[in-house]
Amino acid sequence: MAKNTSLYFRIVEGRSLPVKDVSGTSDPYCIVKVDNEVVARTATVWKNLNPFWGEEYTLHLPTGFHSLSFYVMDEDTIGHDDIIGKISLSKDTIGAKVKGLDNWLNLTRVDPDEEVQGEIHFGLELLRDAKGIGLRCHFIEARDLAPRDISGTSDPFARILFNNHSAETSIIKKTRYPHWGETLELELETEELSEGGTVTVEVWDWDMVGKNDFLGKVEIPFACLHKTPLVQGWFRLLPLGNNEDDAGGKLGALRLKVRLVEDHILPSTYYQPLIDLLVQSVISPAEVEDGSPLTMLEEVTTVESRQDVAMTLVKIYLGQGLVVPFLDYLNTREVNHTLDPNTLFRSNSLASKAMEQFMKAVGMLYLHEVLKPIINRIFEEKKYIELDPCKIDLNRTRRISFKGAVSEAEVRESSVEMLQGYLSNIVESIIGSVTQCPPVMRVAFKQLHKRVEEQFPEPENEDVKYLAISGFFFLRFLAPAILTPKLFHLRDQHADTRTSRTLLLLAKAVQSVGNLGLQLGHGKELWMEPLHPIILYSVASVKDFLDKLIDIDSVSEVPQRAVFLPSVTVKEGYLQKHKAESPQLLSRFSFKKRYFWLSSETLSYAKTPDPWQVRSSIPIQCVCAVERVDENAFQQQHVLQVVTQDNDGQMHTIYTQCKNVNELNQWLSAIRKASIYNRRMLPSFHPGAYRSGKWTCCLQADRATSGCSRTHSAVTLGDWSDPLDPDAETQTIYKQLLQGRDNIRCFKSLSLSPPDGADCSVELLKHRQAAAVRLLGVVLDLEQAHATFQRQERVEAGSLILTP
């Protein structure tokens, strides 16, 4: 039984942050670490003590993580960024909140003695022989120690302490991965055997000037050595002690949402009955109105979890090749239960959420093609645009004209002209993108169009079939991406105040276009009226676009393990490339700019993205490790390595440098996902580079020696390009059903006599009761299977403990 761990966190906002700049403000951003490894960095919010980020991440990682930390930093143009404070949450703290943590938390001071990381490998033995009593400690090695020196390394040595006895190893210079291979002994008195106390192993960074820096400690109760004379293995290094305090809130606070999901995944055969029930719900159109298992799932799902359930179902049906029938099933139910066309898809129903998540899952590459050029232009031009008379600031308009002060009317005239230009470009890009839109998306819209037309055939409802599609396409997909391009990966940074206002005005206009201009003039924002002509002019083009969009024959989807097809590029962009075999390994200038493409089949690169350029390609099936590189390897930040193995068994490494830590994590995650099913993945790697006859990380001379750090192939960022894992997705649905088990039991025991006045047939009640019986049986079987596997794991774990 496999284990699956997902960590979701959302950095919402900060408040009352301290002033760090001479201007009386700060420029805050957040760094997120899991076990001291940076996994995310928010955008910087300039000149703001109450910043809003709204950035969220899902991290898939092994079950062995210990802590999640959020560091709030103040960005400085010159010099090092200042640390404002941090929030550290242990895995146990997060896991204790079943529904997740959603709260304001005060920032604490950052104590260097608490910023420890890494592990140490040693053996501790209690000696009792004719020569006397003693403690023998064999220090083998350590890994992933905290860097304490300006070079990005440390000069570590280890120390053993018990009562008043102590001994130290030699110092290993300039490494975070020391190999000691030393044995130290402490001579003890007989009376010390009966004492309690603790044997402490410490790791320190030696400094020539000033005091040594603490790198972590391990504490072993002396009583353990009486029971097990030899204690040996890898031990996590711990801080000196938890002395953190929130400084009375003087450092400000963060509002965080954090949720930990840990699942035990059963073999696929156990989930097949639930998959069969879900499939059966959508392949029989005649059962739309009855109480199918899928309908019952929606009824037992909470509003808070509906988005997650919708995304999971979209992935399951994508994997089954049935995503269009699934969406058609939900949409048909929604349409048939809607009497007033003005309220169609207005609620956060499972149908609405499923369509939203479906568009993100299959349409993000398309979204980027349509919007990215115009979004980039808006960010680069940074025009001052404002239509609301109450918000026009004439002091900010001097760049518009060099003729002196401008009037409010001139500002509005200039703003209207620029907004019309931007809006025209957006609409033109959209209406010209029919062939770029994923076929599966077009078929789903075609089915939606058909169902709405059948339900509302009256001439006065002619526009409803268009509004149903544009409501999703424009209002829930394009407009949110225009409003917050950072959250849709269209930009690396949030917009500044000026650009953000422009994007907001454009998003409002695009919403009006999506509403076919039907609500123009009915709102409170009458100052948007200058844009009404271009919006109304676009309506005919939008209707024509929607007609062409659904003019497609139905396509049969092939079941697939990934959302993306093998031929589709899932990530691309410029990186700085360096080959490990390069004779100029010492030179930081040996990194050359190359354009990279990643698909599920190859990682390729060329000098430019031009189609005529000759590409070099690395087969994804040859990838056996994708990892970060220590800064001191090339004296460069944000470097990753892709380790491959050719058919002859030879290992090759390509190093590439990214612009920032977010781009680094995105490329790491994307390549790991593409190679997730590779069989030859390495268990360890070298975080450094091999030069001058040794590895820069562990200082080993043998180039072929095993890696000194554990690989992280299971650590990936969750996003729209996640490979499908049917077992993990079905486990998520099972957990939702398990929580609603009591409600399903109520459906099972329904009386076949409907209550007085209830609009409910006996036949429908029979359907609901039968569906509840089937669903409850599957849930109970899965619950029993989990219990059986967990008992087996406990027995096996006990056997391992008893076996020497």
Side-chain angles (χ1 to χ4, degrees):
M1 184 165 60
K3 292 183 179 179
N4 189 45
T5 302
S6 295
L7 184 62
Y8 163 85
F9 52 91
R10 185 169 192 253
I11 307 163
V12 184
E13 57 186 321
R15 71 180 179 196
S16 305
L17 299 182
V19 173
K20 288 292 183 179
D21 299 337
V22 293
S23 61
T25 61
S26 292
D27 305 313
Y29 66 91
C30 291
I31 287 176
V32 186
K33 293 184 180 181
V34 172
D35 286 349
N36 293 290
E37 185 167 335
V38 178
V39 297
R41 181 202 192 276
T42 70
T44 301
V45 180
W46 302 99
K47 301 184 184 303
N48 201 316
L49 300 180
N50 299 285
F52 178 83
W53 289 288
E55 298 187 26
E56 59 185 52
Y57 304 85
T58 298
L59 191 67
H60 304 296
L61 70 170
T63 56
F65 89 100
H66 297 94
S67 65
L68 172 69
S69 300
F70 302 85
Y71 293 77
V72 180
M73 312 288 291
D74 168 58
E75 183 165 338
D76 288 330
T77 307
I78 301 175
H80 295 288
D81 295 348
D82 300 318
I83 300 177
I84 294 176
K86 77 166 187 176
I87 293 168
S88 189
L89 302 170
S90 69
K91 179 184 175 184
D92 292 338
T93 300
I94 301 169
K97 303 284 187 179
V98 178
K99 294 185 178 180
L101 181 149
D102 182 0
N103 210 345
W104 283 97
L105 298 172
N106 286 342
L107 292 166
T108 65
R109 296 186 179 89
V110 176
D111 182 353
D113 288 339
E114 300 299 312
E115 301 300 297
V116 304
Q117 65 185 68
E119 300 171 301
I120 182 170
H121 188 192
F122 66 84
L124 186 62
E125 185 177 9
L126 179 62
L127 303 174
R128 283 186 271 197
D129 52 30
K131 297 180 181 180
I133 303 169
L135 273 177
R136 175 184 294 165
C137 189
H138 180 46
F139 287 96
I140 304 170
E141 58 185 324
R143 62 190 177 198
D144 299 307
L145 299 179
R148 288 288 190 257
D149 298 338
I150 195 170
S151 62
T153 62
S154 290
D155 303 318
F157 68 92
R159 175 188 298 159
I160 180 173
L161 304 98
F162 180 68
N163 288 347
N164 296 320
H165 311 284
S166 66
E168 296 178 355
T169 67
S170 57
I171 300 167
I172 309 294
K173 297 288 189 67
K174 296 184 179 180
T175 180
R176 295 172 51 225
Y177 303 84
H179 284 253
W180 290 291
E182 297 182 31
T183 300
L184 305 178
E185 291 190 11
L186 301 179
E187 294 183 5
L188 306 181
E189 300 296 332
T190 305
E191 56 269 20
E192 292 182 280
L193 280 176
S194 60
E195 295 183 8
T198 301
V199 180
T200 303
V201 170
E202 297 177 344
V203 184
W204 292 81
D205 166 53
W206 175 81
D207 285 331
M208 182 179 294
V209 179
K211 66 175 185 177
N212 298 331
D213 299 313
F214 180 71
L215 293 177
K217 69 177 181 179
V218 176
E219 293 183 335
I220 308 276
F222 189 69
C224 290
L225 296 173
H226 288 293
K227 300 176 183 177
T228 308
L230 176 62
V231 177
Q232 184 171 326
W234 283 97
F235 298 88
R236 178 183 171 229
L237 290 167
L238 300 174
L240 268 179
N242 188 7
N243 298 318
E244 296 178 356
D245 66 88
D246 63 12
K250 294 180 180 178
L251 298 179
L254 284 185
R255 186 186 170 199
L256 301 172
K257 293 185 178 181
V258 185
R259 185 172 71 252
L260 175 66
V261 178
E262 289 188 296
D263 282 323
H264 289 78
I265 309 300
L266 298 169
S268 300
T269 53
Y270 288 89
Y271 294 111
Q272 194 58 46
L274 180 53
I275 289 288
D276 291 342
L277 283 182
L278 294 176
V279 168
Q280 184 183 354
S281 295
V282 303
I283 61 176
S284 302
E287 296 182 4
V288 165
E289 292 297 333
D290 72 12
S292 71
L294 187 57
T295 305
M296 212 156 287
L297 172 62
E298 179 174 15
E299 293 184 18
V300 302
T301 300
T302 62
V303 176
E304 295 80 9
S305 62
R306 192 156 292 161
Q307 180 167 310
D308 290 339
V309 171
M311 187 68 218
T312 302
L313 288 172
V314 165
K315 288 185 175 183
I316 288 175
Y317 285 104
L318 274 168
Q320 294 294 316
L322 292 170
V323 72
V324 171
F326 160 66
L327 294 171
D328 186 39
Y329 174 88
L330 293 180
N331 290 338
T332 301
R333 289 189 70 252
E334 182 90 359
V335 170
N336 289 350
H337 285 88
T338 303
L339 300 178
D340 182 358
N342 294 317
T343 63
L344 187 61
F345 295 111
R346 296 298 183 186
S347 65
N348 288 321
S349 63
L350 186 59
S352 298
K353 290 297 183 183
M355 283 295 289
E356 283 183 30
Q357 299 307 314
F358 163 71
M359 289 188 294
K360 289 181 180 178
V362 304
M364 286 294 280
L365 290 173
Y366 164 68
L367 180 81
H368 282 218
E369 290 178 8
V370 172
L371 291 182
K372 199 163 190 177
I374 184 64
I375 293 295
N376 286 342
R377 180 183 153 201
I378 294 169
F379 269 75
E380 290 160 7
E381 293 181 349
K382 293 183 178 179
K383 300 288 188 180
Y384 177 71
I385 295 176
E386 185 54 76
L387 297 181
D388 187 349
C390 300
K391 294 185 177 180
I392 291 178
D393 183 357
L394 297 180
N395 293 324
R396 301 179 62 186
T397 62
R398 292 173 183 171
R399 294 183 184 179
I400 296 177
S401 172
F402 293 100
K403 301 177 181 179
V406 294
S407 66
E408 182 177 308
E410 289 174 312
V411 172
R412 282 176 55 80
E413 182 181 350
S414 173
S415 297
V416 169
E417 182 180 350
M418 287 183 285
L419 281 174
Q420 286 177 338
Y422 288 145
L423 184 59
S424 296
N425 288 340
I426 291 174
V427 173
E428 288 171 7
S429 180
I430 293 170
I431 63 177
S433 68
V434 172
T435 57
Q436 297 168 274
C437 187
V440 66
M441 231 170 119
R442 297 176 63 186
V443 174
F445 286 142
K446 179 179 181 178
Q447 290 294 101
L448 175 59
H449 179 276
K450 177 183 177 182
R451 300 305 179 194
V452 174
E453 192 173 38
E454 290 172 346
Q455 178 71 2
F456 302 105
E458 301 82 7
E460 63 269 23
N461 292 325
E462 172 67 21
D463 286 335
V464 177
K465 58 190 178 186
Y466 292 111
L467 289 168
I469 300 174
S470 63
F472 287 116
F473 191 73
F474 284 87
L475 276 64
R476 300 197 187 210
F477 192 46
L478 297 176
I482 293 169
L483 181 63
T484 53
K486 170 77 168 61
L487 304 186
F488 286 77
H489 306 301
L490 288 166
R491 295 288 297 186
D492 291 332
Q493 297 287 337
H494 286 299
D496 57 31
T497 304
R498 175 176 292 191
T499 305
S500 181
R501 182 61 180 171
T502 301
L503 295 174
L504 174 62
L505 294 173
L506 283 172
K508 288 177 180 290
V510 169
Q511 284 183 324
S512 296
V513 171
N515 282 323
L516 305 182
L518 296 177
Q519 298 177 356
L520 293 181
H522 297 294
K524 298 178 181 179
E525 299 172 340
L526 299 180
W527 40 265
M528 289 284 288
E529 189 173 344
L531 292 181
H532 290 181
I534 191 171
I535 292 172
L536 293 172
Y537 178 77
S538 301
V539 169
S541 299
V542 167
K543 284 186 177 181
D544 182 60
F545 163 72
L546 294 177
D547 284 332
K548 291 177 180 177
L549 197 68
I550 62 174
D551 183 17
I552 182 174
D553 294 330
S554 296
V555 293
S556 58
E557 296 171 84
V558 180
Q560 52 195 20
R561 292 286 287 183
V563 170
F564 49 82
L565 297 173
S567 59
V568 174
T569 299
V570 294
K571 190 164 182 62
E572 60 182 298
Y574 277 109
L575 297 173
Q576 300 288 332
K577 176 188 167 294
H578 180 291
K579 285 190 67 174
E581 291 81 2
S582 171
Q584 296 181 330
L585 194 60
L586 288 171
S587 171
R588 61 184 299 177
F589 301 106
S590 59
F591 282 87
K592 303 296 182 183
K593 190 175 183 179
R594 295 291 183 265
Y595 198 86
F596 278 77
W597 296 265
L598 173 68
S599 74
S600 59
E601 293 180 339
T602 60
L603 176 66
S604 55
Y605 56 90
K607 289 185 177 180
T608 68
D610 297 320
W612 51 264
Q613 282 280 349
V614 177
R615 298 187 187 184
S616 299
S617 294
I618 302 168
I620 288 297
Q621 63 184 11
C622 295
V623 173
C624 47
V626 190
E627 301 292 337
R628 290 176 173 81
V629 178
D630 271 356
E631 290 183 20
N632 67 307
F634 300 104
Q635 300 304 313
Q636 297 272 52
Q637 290 184 319
H638 316 312
V639 177
L640 68 87
Q641 58 179 305
V642 179
V643 184
T644 59
Q645 187 176 26
D646 60 26
N647 294 330
D648 297 327
Q650 295 294 315
M651 309 299 291
H652 305 276
T653 306
I654 290 183
Y655 298 97
T656 57
Q657 184 186 23
C658 304
K659 290 182 297 185
N660 52 52
V661 69
N662 281 346
E663 186 180 66
L664 170 67
N665 284 316
Q666 288 163 12
W667 276 101
L668 280 170
S669 184
I671 302 174
R672 285 173 181 171
K673 289 173 186 176
S675 58
I676 195 168
Y677 300 115
N678 288 5
R679 296 180 179 178
R680 297 184 291 184
M681 302 304 287
L682 295 175
S684 61
F685 77 107
H686 288 285
Y690 189 83
R691 69 179 191 221
S692 302
K694 62 182 178 182
W695 287 99
T696 59
C697 44
C698 57
L699 309 181
Q700 298 295 300
D702 184 3
R703 185 166 193 164
T705 190
S706 298
C708 53
S709 184
R710 288 181 294 181
T711 52
H712 304 84
S713 59
V715 179
T716 58
L717 288 169
D719 61 20
W720 55 271
S721 64
D722 277 352
L724 296 178
D725 189 339
D727 297 338
E729 310 298 352
T730 313
Q731 168 67 19
T732 300
I733 298 301
Y734 155 69
K735 287 178 62 178
Q736 285 291 327
L737 292 170
L738 189 64
Q739 293 175 10
R741 181 174 48 186
D742 291 340
N743 289 333
I744 299 175
R745 282 200 174 103
C746 291
F747 292 134
K748 178 184 173 182
S749 58
L750 278 174
S751 170
L752 294 183
S753 299
D756 293 338
D759 184 15
C760 188
S761 68
V762 173
E763 191 64 27
L764 177 56
L765 289 174
K766 285 182 178 179
H767 276 297
R768 291 171 69 83
Q769 193 176 63
V773 170
R774 297 196 303 271
L775 198 56
L776 187 61
V778 169
V779 171
L780 294 177
D781 287 345
L782 282 170
E783 187 178 21
Q784 180 63 40
H786 274 282
T788 301
F789 273 93
Q790 287 169 2
R791 280 197 300 269
Q792 290 176 354
E793 283 188 345
R794 287 195 292 269
V795 170
E796 291 171 1
S799 299
L800 290 174
I801 293 172
L802 296 174
T803 303

